[in-house]
Amino acid sequence: MVRASSAAAAAAQGNLWSRFAAAFPALLPAQLALVACAVVDGVADAAWGGDQKWAVAGIALAQAALVLLRAVPILLLLSLPLLALRRERLRIVALAALWSLFVVAQAGLDQYFQVAHVPLGADLFGYSVAEIRTTLSGDTPLAPRNVLAYVLPLLLLWGGLYLGVRRWAAGSMRWTSLLLVAGLLAWSLPLPTGAQALRNDAARDLAGNKLAWFCADVWRWSKRDAVAMPASGKAATAGADEPPLDPQFPFLHPEQTPDTLGPYFTPTSDGRPPNVVMIVVEGLGRSFSGPQASLGSFTPFLDGLAARSLYFDNFLSNQGRTFGVLPSLFNSAPFAKEGFTSLGARMPPGPGLFNLLEQQGYHTAFYNGTDTTFDDERAFMQLQGVQHLVDRKGFGPGYQLNPFSEWGYPDKELVSRVLADSAQLQAPFLLAMQTISMHTAYQFPGQDAWRVRFEQRLRELHVPDAQLASYRADADIYSTILYTDDQLHRYFDAVAKQPWYADTIFVVTGDHRLPEIPMGEHIDRYHVPLIVFSPLLRQARHFRAVSSQLDVTPSLLALLSHTYGLKRPAQTPWLGTGLDVADSFRNIHHLPLQQTKTSAPDYLAGRWWLHNGQLFELQDGMHLAPADDAFALEWVTRRLQRYEQANAIFMQKLALAPDGAKPKLVAYQEVAQKEPAIGEAPVMHGLSTDATEVTVAGHGLQLTAMFGNGDAQQSRAFVPLAVLTAEDGHELQETYGHTMQLPANGHQQVQLSLQRPDACSSRCYVSVFPSDPQTGKAIGQGRYHVPVDAGAAAGSAP
């Protein structure tokens, strides 16, 4: 009897073990349907090129298959108790419920990506449920395509399980064992990224499995406190050239920002300091605003304003979402753990634009059409001592909420509300306005008229017929950009009639680049315009040097204290060092950037950009080129680690400066400015393309490239290679020079010629790099994505 019972138990165990193999095929069509629904909209984007469509689908399918294999051990462990249920119908229902959760989780992450155009990761834990609902408000989750993305995979799963009932007896313990082994081995295999096949971040993000991204990002976020705190008495350094970190106030330093803006300003009419108006435009990105915008500019008013202003071509936001813009722009503050404002009531006071000007007689006001408890903006602005704060809750009667979104008042109503107070403003004043309409769902009252204006703008920009479909797919977004631009036009036209206008400085920037229009590469999320306009300007200028929002408040205080007689703090915890007004492309700053509240920070130091442990070179045109230089990687990693250690000390002490928001104020003192310390940054080792100039002559292109050898020995043999690509990324033509070698630390100029084919009717790009004479592959650093505009001299990459 004992043997019989043991045999029966073993048989039962074998039956439920084999049942898993019989049921598992039901997940295969469900997983295939998930992939199809996830990529069908994205790969239909004509701007990516037909060859990329299949590459996206193939990589998405490969990732989904690997993720399913990785899930096998977990699904098996959770499914065995359900497979042991005696009643067959109950067994099927229970298994369907469990596996449906797996399918729905993936579908939900895919649908989030369709709305936000960025994968959902640990940032899920950085927002409340109400904030997430507001962020996604206006999307149409019950639209047929959204419903299909959930229903089709589930129907296939349930149908497969029902059919699998007939195969219970045919299940195999061997197949279940093989699935388990394959699932365990799958964890040792990397997910295929398609880095070579896919030419832009938007395609790679679409192809990536969102469940894999979510799990990996949550795992990274859970380990975020692993940054080593410097031991007591052993402050961290970034090298012998760096002073130790202050154990109480790690960001504190003497304030010596030079007044780079002063030479461009005249005195005010009455001798008083000027008024300051700060305009933060939601989602305003450089790719669709300003001269040579890669997508064409949809901000005609701001373009005209930029032509009369100090315009910073290569300007960066320090955050990829709105959570960090106010602390970065107004206080040059660190990110803390999940954004400075996420500290809530624990936010420490510190010197910033609002409180420093209020202490010196300025009246201060802040306007926003949304609920400013989102991202704790209200608490932050109150900590800055703003005297007049208007948001959705205190907007007042007579204004229309946006019926298509939960955000609040659209930009037309916001501008009207700001203008309602304009006549009563007491000079000098500091006023800030933060817009909202350029956010999902990109809908507002009266939008039909702006869709007509969008079509007109397409004709004005001479968008080629082949690209019209991709632009029209985002008609709601582009029409919203035109709408917000026009509301800013209305604001400037109205305040130009106010008596205080002549003595006012206006600063316009974007909080980050909106993600819903696909981005070419990672840096696009941060590349935003900066416009400094004033009737006090002596002349308009465009600057090509790189600066960030962390530099704005230090420069404004330097301007106001040096040129207009105010005072500034003797010491500050500011991360920025002032706006660089060099005419040439360069970066002299060291600065952190953070895409979401919970993402790992990027770091930019000199020309080196560190992203997820990978090194890039920042090139002219705001392009990031992958770099393979161990010394440079180690150098910029040390600087990121120093920032992270300072940030960790700050999180422990929660103090920015000894005197909080009321530091000792001193008159501006001219400090002998050393040549920017770019020289401390490591030089490029090995072969590199130091500069590339492209000129258009008739139907051809003339390329002049300077190649360099950064080694103290003769370079290996290489062939100068130039590749011409169309706007959608596919290769049109290539040309090459003679095989050559460079002496130690030597340079040589090379000229190459290309014909411009018909496919290059609007804009093309040239990449130039040293290549292997045998394989043609790059063997050194190149200059990539240099724009070539039809009929014009395109650009250079010094």
Side-chain angles (χ1 to χ4, degrees), residues 170 219 289 346 363 576 706 727 779:
W219 176 258
S289 176
R346 298 184 299 138
H363 300 273
M706 179 67 73
E727 192 164 15
I779 56 174

Side-chain angles (χ1 to χ4, degrees), residues 420-442:
D421 290 346
S422 293
Q424 290 77 45
L425 291 172
Q426 300 179 39
F429 62 81
L430 167 61
L431 181 150
M433 170 171 51
Q434 185 177 15
T435 74
I436 190 56
S437 290
M438 285 167 54
H439 196 292
T440 48
Y442 300 103

Side-chain angles (χ1 to χ4, degrees), residues 177-230:
S177 299
L178 288 174
L179 282 171
L180 178 59
V181 171
L184 293 172
L185 290 176
W187 285 96
S188 65
L189 299 176
L191 287 172
T193 62
Q196 300 298 321
L198 304 179
R199 292 181 293 269
N200 58 60
D201 285 351
R204 285 187 285 270
D205 285 345
L206 178 63
N209 186 272
K210 309 309 179 294
L211 180 61
W213 168 269
F214 178 81
C215 294
D217 198 52
V218 170
W219 176 258
R220 176 205 55 78
W221 174 72
S222 69
K223 304 296 183 182
R224 69 195 185 284
D225 294 326
V227 175
M229 284 285 292

Side-chain angles (χ1 to χ4, degrees), residues 79-273:
S79 301
L80 286 176
L82 307 181
L83 293 170
L85 294 173
R86 292 177 178 273
R87 295 179 59 186
E88 185 177 272
R89 180 174 297 180
L90 182 60
R91 187 190 310 150
I92 296 173
V93 170
L95 195 64
L98 174 64
W99 289 8
S100 293
L101 292 177
F102 175 65
V103 170
V104 168
Q106 293 185 81
L109 291 169
D110 289 335
Q111 288 305 298
Y112 177 90
F113 179 82
Q114 294 296 334
V115 176
H117 284 254
V118 290
L120 180 64
D123 43 324
L124 172 67
F125 306 105
Y127 294 91
S128 68
V129 173
E131 288 177 325
I132 294 173
R133 185 174 62 248
T134 300
T135 300
L136 299 178
S137 67
D139 186 47
T140 54
L142 296 181
R145 63 180 180 86
N146 301 94
V147 175
L148 185 66
Y150 288 98
V151 172
L152 180 60
L154 288 175
L155 287 177
L156 291 172
L157 171 67
W158 297 340
L161 286 175
Y162 177 76
L163 294 175
V165 172
R166 301 177 181 178
R167 299 195 304 270
W168 289 131
S172 168
M173 293 178 61
R174 178 181 300 176
W175 278 110
T176 299
S177 299
L178 288 174
L179 282 171
L180 178 59
V181 171
L184 293 172
L185 290 176
W187 285 96
S188 65
L189 299 176
L191 287 172
T193 62
Q196 300 298 321
L198 304 179
R199 292 181 293 269
N200 58 60
D201 285 351
R204 285 187 285 270
D205 285 345
L206 178 63
N209 186 272
K210 309 309 179 294
L211 180 61
W213 168 269
F214 178 81
C215 294
D217 198 52
V218 170
W219 176 258
R220 176 205 55 78
W221 174 72
S222 69
K223 304 296 183 182
R224 69 195 185 284
D225 294 326
V227 175
M229 284 285 292
S232 178
K234 297 181 180 180
T237 67
D241 56 339
E242 296 283 357
L245 293 172
D246 187 309
Q248 296 296 322
F249 308 103
F251 294 109
L252 194 65
H253 58 82
E255 179 51 35
Q256 298 178 341
T257 301
D259 180 16
T260 57
L261 301 180
Y264 300 98
F265 282 85
T266 61
T268 57
S269 60
D270 56 8
R272 293 190 298 179

